[in-house]
């Protein structure tokens, strides 16, 4: 299975990033970055391979879904790294991808025969891809938020020089978190619109009060409140970081909830 | 061959009163270097003079007389009796001198380990020597190696990392909060040397507007002019809190100048943009409780000193690594230096063989008149090739193994074997 190879690369990438964090040699994060890229390559190959095998966008089993969610994280990090120079977040991205991929491997592979219609499938596929990319960005925001809280704590308490030296500036962490939230929120909104339209086409209704719709909307409202407060009264720093973490926890909760309802 | 010696005194060996008497200005150093041409014993010389050290690095013909020659030269030039400073001098020669120069250049011998200025000062000193042509093969090599070692130490160890002065520590902190100090607005409350150095350091890092608030407005105006900033009255501080980013406070006020409530009140109009207080005053000017407000950070003089202490310890740890790099460089330099002793023998050997070959070659070619130009050229080239092949092994032996043990054994042997001394 190709996916095992990518797990191996994700593992090595995580190790390289951890080593970078401790030793602070630049070549280490570069190695980490390329290992992550290689892992992503094998991961995508695995996905495309499945696609050609079953001829439908492979999101019909729990494992497929989670593997797709995992793919989105390194991709979003690559895009993110292109804009902002926040190397250490690569370690977070590699670790979370590794974690999700390993969980996915142990999940059931049985596919539900629910969606075979190609038209419906492409609607669902774009909905899922966009939502997952959005979630990946929100997870990066959560990571930046965690790092922000650690760095803020070290600066406020004035003692722990270990993290102080190794973590980037508060400003960078804050703006990186905010950029990720804007990206994630935009994609989330777009994905939700597609989802609603899809619902209208298939079930004839935009809104069905299903738990997943309710949960997603709550998450969406939370993020829109965060962005609104930031733009008007300048919610930044600590509060923004905590909100980003809560928002992402809620996102995971929604995701797990959906999976539970769908596959249990 | 010249021997390397270092004569000098620094902050550890001599008090400031003597150091300042012996310090060389640029012009003094230049005319001191000119003295070199009148000496038969001192062959090469370099003068390093900083506020913490005066050192003469020299290449001398004879160690016994050379050191004394340098001492008298200094004494005469500075018009200071020798007995006033002689016992404060440290004198190093050979490998110890090399090690000392490397350590000084790498800032291991500095008062503040790892400070970066010393390398620039040595470069400056070397420039003076070059302009007076007072360095030769040995000192040139020594100084270039010293630059190289210093660069290695700086990149491979963390000796220059982490601030070790209040103003550097403050800027380092500001960077961790704001990402960059560029375009940040600074408010200086009160005056004082340390606070002013901190402001200067912020300006060097491209902080933009500087505001100065002082109890006496005139004093504030003076300072503002110095920093190219603007003076404000004490009453205007509250208003300024809405837009400044970094506040450095150093007043003689017995009470707190900026209270928690004031800062709490401005956070909303500031849209929660971070604000950083550096409190250098004792008793303190800034309410320490402000540190508990989100996006507000307060560091007082003790906090900053704490950071500096930790950083100094860190540098000392790094200094051990640096010593290892220097050990290696000293060994390499001494190998080169030793091989230098072989050079005259090698040259004599080459000359002798070449002249023998040349002599025989011209005899032979003279009697073989029928050869074409090309043919005789081919024979000449072949002869050279044979010489090179034959000499290759003995020369590389002399350059490497020959100078490992007792170099004179092998030079003497070579000289006798080939009858190089006529």
């Amino acid at each position: 299975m190709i996916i095992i190879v990518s797990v191996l690369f994700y593992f090595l990438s995580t190790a390289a990033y951890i080593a970078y964090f401790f030793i602070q040699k630049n070549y280490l994060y570069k190695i980490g970055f390329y290992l992550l890229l290689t892992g992503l390559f094998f991961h995508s190959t695995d996905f495309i391979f499945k696609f050609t095998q079953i001829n439908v966008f492979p999101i019909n089993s729990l494992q497929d879904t989670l593997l797709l969610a995992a793919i989105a994280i390194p991709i979003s990090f690559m895009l993110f790294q292109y804009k902002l120079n926040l190397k250490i977040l690569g370690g977070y991205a590699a670790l979370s991808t590794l974690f999700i991929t390993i969980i996915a491997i142990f999940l059931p592979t049985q596919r539900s025969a629910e969606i075979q219609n190609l038209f419906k499938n492409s609607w669902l596929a774009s909905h899922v891809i966009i939502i997952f990319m959005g979630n990946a960005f929100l997870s990066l925001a959560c990571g930046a938020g965690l790092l922000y809280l650690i760095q803020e704590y070290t600066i406020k308490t004035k003692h722990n020089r270990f993290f102080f030296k190794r973590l980037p500036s508060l400003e960078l962490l804050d703006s990186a978190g905010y950029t990720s939230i804007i990206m994630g929120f935009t994609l989330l909104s777009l994905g939700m619109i597609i989802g609603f339209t899809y619902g209208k086409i298939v079930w004839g209704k935009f809104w069905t009060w299903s738990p997943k719709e309710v949960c997603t909307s709550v998450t969406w409202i939370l993020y829109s409140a965060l962005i609104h407060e930031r733009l008007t009264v300048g919610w930044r720093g600590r509060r923004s970081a905590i909100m980003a973490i809560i928002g992402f926890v809620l996102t995971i909760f929604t995701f797990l909830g959906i999976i539970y309802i769908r596959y249990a | 061959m010249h021997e390397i010696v270092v004569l000098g005194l620094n902050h550890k060996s001599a008090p400031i009163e003597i150091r300042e008497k012996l310090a060389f200005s640029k012009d003094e150093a230049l005319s001191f270097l000119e003295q070199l041409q009148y000496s038969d014993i001192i062959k090469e010389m370099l003068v390093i003079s900083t506020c913490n050290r005066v050192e003469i690095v020299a290449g001398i013909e004879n160690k016994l007389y050379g050191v004394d020659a340098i001492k008298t030269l200094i004494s005469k030039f500075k018009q200071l009796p020798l007995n006033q400073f002689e016992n404060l001098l440290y004198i190093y020669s050979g490998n110890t001198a090399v090690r000392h120069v490397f350590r000084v250049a790498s800032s291991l011998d500095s008062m503040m380990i790892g400070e970066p200025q010393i390398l620039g000062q040595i470069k400056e000193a070397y420039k003076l020597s070059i302009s007076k042509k007072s360095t030769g093969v040995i000192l040139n090599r020594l100084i270039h190696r010293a630059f190289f070692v210093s660069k290695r130490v700086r990149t491979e160890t963390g000796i220059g990392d982490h601030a070790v002065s209040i103003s550097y520590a403050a800027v380092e902190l500001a960077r961790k909060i704001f990402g960059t100090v560029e375009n940040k607005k600074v408010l200086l409350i009160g005056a004082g040397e340390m606070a002013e150095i901190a402001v200067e350091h912020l300006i060097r890092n491209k902080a933009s507007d500087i505001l100065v608030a002082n109890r006496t407005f005139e004093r504030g105006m003076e300072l503002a002019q110095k920093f190219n900033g603007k003076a404000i009255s004490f009453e205007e501080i509250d208003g300024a809190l809405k837009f400044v980013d970094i506040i450095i406070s150093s007043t003689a006020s017995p009470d707190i100048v900026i209270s928690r409530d004031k800062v709490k009140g401005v956070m909303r109009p500031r849209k929660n943009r971070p604000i950083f207080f550096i409190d250098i005053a004792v008793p303190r000017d800034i309410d320490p409780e402000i540190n508990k407000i989100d996006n507000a950070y307060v560091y007082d003089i003790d906090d900053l000193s704490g950071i500096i202490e930790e950083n100094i310890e860190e540098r000392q740890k790094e200094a051990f690594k640096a010593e290892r790099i220097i050990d290696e460089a000293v060994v390499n330099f001494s190998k080169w230096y030793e091989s230098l002793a072989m050079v005259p023998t090698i040259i004599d050997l080459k000359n002798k063989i070449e002249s023998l070959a040349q002599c025989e070659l011209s005899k032979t070619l003279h009697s073989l008149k029928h050869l074409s130009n090309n043919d005789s050229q081919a024979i000449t080239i072949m002869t050279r090739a044979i010489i090179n092949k034959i000499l290759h092994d003995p020369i590389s032996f002399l350059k490497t193994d020959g100078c490992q043990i007792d170099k004179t054994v092998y030079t003497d042997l070579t000289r006798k074997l080939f009858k190089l001394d006529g």
Side-chain angles (χ1 to χ4, degrees):
Chain A
M1 246 168 101
I2 311 172
I3 197 69
I4 301 290
V5 181
S6 66
V7 166
L8 183 72
F9 277 104
Y10 289 146
F11 174 76
L12 292 174
S13 167
T14 310
Y17 272 110
I18 290 173
Y20 167 68
F21 188 72
F22 281 94
I23 309 169
Q24 298 276 295
K25 296 277 183 218
N26 281 337
Y27 65 86
L28 284 170
Y29 89 80
K30 282 180 194 148
I31 291 173
F33 185 83
Y34 288 113
L35 285 169
L36 186 62
L37 199 66
T38 320
L40 178 63
F41 170 75
F42 284 110
H43 197 156
S44 319
T45 313
D46 178 69
F47 194 80
I48 293 164
F49 189 62
K50 262 191 300 192
F51 200 169
T52 52
Q53 234 178 10
I54 60 172
N55 248 327
V56 216
F57 195 72
I59 38 167
N60 290 348
S61 79
L62 196 47
Q63 189 189 60
D64 292 342
T65 318
L66 215 54
L67 281 178
L68 183 63
I71 250 186
I73 298 173
I75 293 177
S76 65
F77 173 70
M78 304 276 159
L79 295 173
F80 174 90
Q81 174 87 340
Y82 182 71
K83 272 293 272 183
L84 286 155
N85 188 21
L86 191 53
K87 297 157 198 149
I88 198 61
L89 208 56
Y92 172 83
L95 184 64
S96 38
T97 316
L98 175 68
F99 186 65
I100 298 175
T101 318
I102 289 176
I103 292 180
I105 289 175
F106 292 104
L107 287 178
T109 50
Q110 202 189 1
R111 294 194 170 94
S112 68
E114 198 183 342
I115 308 148
Q116 296 297 345
N117 179 313
L118 199 62
F119 170 73
K120 284 183 190 173
N121 183 254
S122 58
W123 268 99
L124 188 63
S126 49
H127 165 69
V128 169
I129 289 175
I130 291 171
I131 290 264
F132 279 178
M133 276 307 288
N135 284 355
F137 274 109
L138 295 176
S139 89
L140 289 182
C142 169
L146 285 169
L147 294 179
Y148 182 95
L149 291 183
I150 297 171
Q151 181 66 309
E152 196 219 21
Y153 179 79
T154 64
I155 292 179
K156 286 266 184 192
T157 55
K158 304 167 182 182
H159 286 300
N160 195 325
R161 306 288 293 162
F162 180 81
F163 284 107
F164 178 83
K165 276 180 255 171
R166 286 172 172 75
L167 290 177
S169 71
L170 291 177
E171 171 59 34
L172 179 61
L173 289 169
D174 186 57
S175 61
Y178 184 60
T179 313
S180 310
I181 284 177
I182 293 285
M183 289 294 293
F185 182 74
T186 314
L187 290 168
L188 187 67
S189 309
L190 191 65
M192 279 167 72
I193 293 169
I194 295 174
F196 289 138
T197 319
Y198 172 72
K200 176 74 181 164
I201 293 167
V202 178
W203 298 298
K205 274 190 218 163
F206 278 112
W207 181 264
T208 55
W209 286 107
S210 75
K212 104 174 177 188
E213 282 171 349
V214 175
C215 269
T216 313
S217 304
V218 170
T219 317
W220 188 86
I221 290 167
L222 184 102
Y223 280 113
S224 51
L226 167 60
I227 293 170
H228 176 263
E229 288 298 294
R230 185 176 181 113
L231 292 174
T232 51
V233 289
W235 262 27
R236 51 163 64 233
R238 184 186 176 74
R239 222 177 283 182
S240 180
I242 293 174
M243 286 282 275
I245 295 166
I246 295 176
F248 185 62
V249 170
L250 206 62
T251 309
I252 294 178
F253 185 74
T254 312
F255 185 70
L256 293 179
I258 293 165
I259 286 172
Y260 182 76
I261 290 163
R262 197 160 165 198
Y263 297 97
Chain B
M1 200 173 63
H2 316 154
E3 183 152 11
I4 300 170
V5 288
V6 174
L7 267 88
L9 33 79
N10 62 13
H11 54 281
K12 284 175 230 161
S13 79
I16 178 87
E17 292 78 26
I18 299 293
R19 271 172 14 232
E20 62 193 7
K21 271 183 199 157
L22 287 177
F24 288 85
S25 70
K26 197 176 155 189
D27 293 333
E28 283 176 316
L30 282 173
S31 53
F32 186 75
L33 290 174
E34 273 169 20
Q35 306 294 313
L36 196 62
Q37 56 184 308
Y38 308 114
S39 174
D40 301 332
I41 308 171
I42 313 168
K43 293 297 175 193
E44 304 180 40
M45 197 156 64
L46 178 81
V47 180
I48 302 168
S49 176
T50 74
C51 43
N52 283 329
R53 72 180 64 246
V54 178
E55 296 199 352
I56 312 288
V57 185
I60 51 178
E61 199 67 66
N62 181 317
K63 197 181 156 191
L64 209 58
Y65 301 113
V67 171
D68 284 336
I70 297 172
K71 278 185 195 168
T72 14
L73 205 60
I74 299 172
S75 165
K76 256 195 219 159
F77 188 84
K78 281 286 165 188
Q79 293 175 338
L80 194 71
L82 197 53
N83 57 19
Q84 276 197 24
F85 66 94
E86 194 176 12
N87 51 0
L88 299 174
L89 287 176
Y90 44 79
I91 297 160
Y92 301 118
S93 61
N95 278 349
T96 340
V98 172
R99 176 185 306 276
H100 179 76
V101 172
F102 287 174
R103 290 189 79 242
V104 170
S106 308
S107 193
L108 289 176
D109 198 48
S110 300
M111 199 162 173
M112 183 52 70
I113 292 180
E115 54 92 7
Q117 282 90 355
I118 185 68
L119 186 62
Q121 288 159 336
I122 294 180
K123 277 187 181 157
E124 213 37 58
Y126 185 50
K127 257 188 218 160
L128 296 183
S129 290
I130 287 177
S131 72
K132 290 285 164 200
K133 294 197 176 69
S134 71
T135 53
V137 184
I138 293 177
L139 284 200
N140 282 340
R141 173 93 177 187
L142 176 70
I143 300 301
H144 282 134
R145 291 323 285 174
F147 292 157
F148 177 76
V149 171
S150 159
K151 204 174 271 176
R152 240 193 102 185
V153 164
R154 211 148 270 278
T155 50
E156 289 179 27
T157 72
I159 196 154
D161 298 352
H162 317 310
V164 286
S165 72
I166 297 281
S167 61
Y168 273 78
V171 172
E172 190 187 74
L173 273 163
R175 281 221 188 92
K176 282 287 177 185
I177 295 170
F178 299 108
T180 166
V181 184
E182 222 175 307
N183 293 325
K184 293 289 172 262
K185 298 183 176 66
V186 181
L187 168 63
L188 171 64
I189 306 177
E193 199 193 343
M194 223 190 290
E196 286 168 39
I197 291 174
V199 173
E200 274 163 16
H201 196 53
L202 285 169
I203 293 172
R204 265 203 298 286
N205 284 280
K206 298 194 182 124
S208 67
D209 305 359
I210 311 289
L211 297 177
V212 181
N214 206 295
R215 287 251 187 244
T216 44
F217 194 69
E218 286 71 37
R219 175 81 179 111
M221 291 273 279
E222 266 170 48
L223 275 175
Q225 229 158 26
K226 183 174 159 193
F227 300 130
N228 224 344
K230 202 178 118 203
I232 61 170
S233 70
F234 242 62
E235 289 67 40
E236 288 174 286
I237 291 176
D238 294 3
L241 286 181
K242 284 182 191 142
F243 58 87
V244 295
D245 304 295
I246 301 167
I247 291 112
I248 301 172
S249 194
S250 162
T251 74
S253 158
D255 306 314
I256 272 168
V257 177
I258 295 176
S259 68
R260 179 177 185 275
D261 292 342
K262 270 186 202 164
V263 177
K264 187 109 189 145
V266 295
M267 286 321 276
R268 216 180 153 92
R270 288 181 64 84
K271 285 204 164 184
N272 281 305
R273 272 181 303 109
I275 186 165
F276 177 33
F277 294 90
I278 303 160
D279 189 355
I280 305 182
V282 180
R284 289 182 286 187
D285 289 342
I286 313 285
D287 187 350
E289 289 294 304
I290 291 171
N291 196 40
K292 289 187 184 146
I293 300 172
D294 269 0
N295 300 313
Y297 306 89
V298 180
Y299 271 71
D300 64 34
I301 189 86
D302 277 7
D303 300 330
L304 292 170
S305 313
I307 291 173
I308 289 167
E309 254 165 58
E310 276 178 51
N311 287 349
I312 289 174
E313 270 170 43
E314 199 78 16
R315 280 192 178 191
Q316 261 145 5
K317 265 185 237 157
E318 293 299 311
F320 285 114
K321 282 189 213 162
E323 296 284 1
R324 246 178 291 144
I325 294 175
I326 287 175
D327 285 342
E328 201 186 307
V330 171
V331 170
N332 285 334
F333 186 85
S334 103
K335 263 188 206 157
W336 172 83
Y337 182 81
E338 297 294 328
S339 73
L340 216 53
M342 295 294 170
V343 169
T345 308
I346 290 171
I347 289 174
D348 290 347
L349 179 62
K350 257 188 177 167
N351 286 347
K352 168 130 193 191
I353 306 287
E354 264 165 21
S355 65
L356 285 176
Q358 197 55 47
C359 182
E360 293 307 311
L361 193 63
S362 56
K363 257 192 231 163
T364 309
L365 288 179
H366 199 69
S367 55
L368 296 174
K369 287 251 161 57
H370 64 276
L371 289 179
S372 72
N373 254 355
N374 279 351
D375 290 340
S376 49
Q377 218 157 32
I379 292 176
T380 316
I381 289 170
M382 183 199 71
T383 316
R384 284 224 186 95
I386 291 173
I387 297 172
N388 288 340
K389 288 257 159 73
I390 290 173
L391 284 179
H392 178 266
D393 284 336
I395 287 178
S396 59
F397 171 80
L398 285 175
K399 273 187 179 163
T400 53
D401 298 328
C403 46
Q404 289 293 312
I405 324 155
D406 187 359
K407 51 194 173 192
T408 50
V409 174
Y410 293 109
T411 44
D412 287 354
L413 185 69
T414 312
R415 289 190 166 275
K416 276 182 193 146
L417 212 53
F418 291 94
K419 215 175 173 213
L420 295 179
D421 297 315

